[in-house]
Amino acid sequence: MIPASVFSKIRSFFGVFAVLCALGCLSGGSIAVAADKAESSLKVAGNYYQQQRYDLAIGEYQKFLKDYPKNEKRSEAEFYLAESLFQQNRPDEAFTHFDNVCSQALSLIKTYSSQELDATFYAEKVKPKIS
């Protein structure tokens, strides 16, 4: 079993994760119909999560990840899948998904830092998305 302190640290990455998701939203869209279906699927999972119906949320997040493996909101879905698993007292499974989210976040950090984000880009593109 993984200590709660480890999960606490992983869960604290959520702030960084939210910023990276906002950056990911800047990368453009895909076909409107597929995007609508993906968005709808994620919304259903999110509603179950908000209602604390974690068992149903887990199934919906897993379905989203399977059906839309390249969707820009994949990290968000995987994060909430991990949270749902954690709430269902399934820490080992949750840890696997938290680890995936952290790996994706680090990859995005490397990508965006290599593009030399400047203050203007942050002020115009990132800050409005996270405010």
Side-chain angles (χ1 to χ4, degrees), residues 48-60:
Y48 285 139
Y49 179 85
Q50 291 297 322
Q51 296 168 7
Q52 298 180 355
R53 298 175 71 184
Y54 301 116
D55 54 333
L56 296 174
I58 289 167
E60 291 297 325

Side-chain angles (χ1 to χ4, degrees), residues 14-32:
F14 182 66
V16 172
F17 170 73
V19 170
L20 294 173
C21 282
L23 289 171
C25 292
L26 301 174
S27 65
S30 58
I31 300 172

Side-chain angles (χ1 to χ4, degrees), residues 5 7 26 37 70 76 87 95 97 100 108 116 128-129:
S5 62
F7 278 109
L26 301 174
K37 286 182 179 181
K70 303 227 184 253
E76 178 183 342
Q87 294 298 326
F95 181 77
H97 293 285
N100 290 343
L108 279 175
E116 300 181 46
K129 293 276 187 187

Side-chain angles (χ1 to χ4, degrees), residues 12 37 42 74 86-87 97 102 105 112-113 124:
S12 70
K37 286 182 179 181
L42 193 57
R74 177 178 176 74
F86 186 74
Q87 294 298 326
H97 293 285
C102 291
Y112 285 108
S113 65
E124 291 176 1

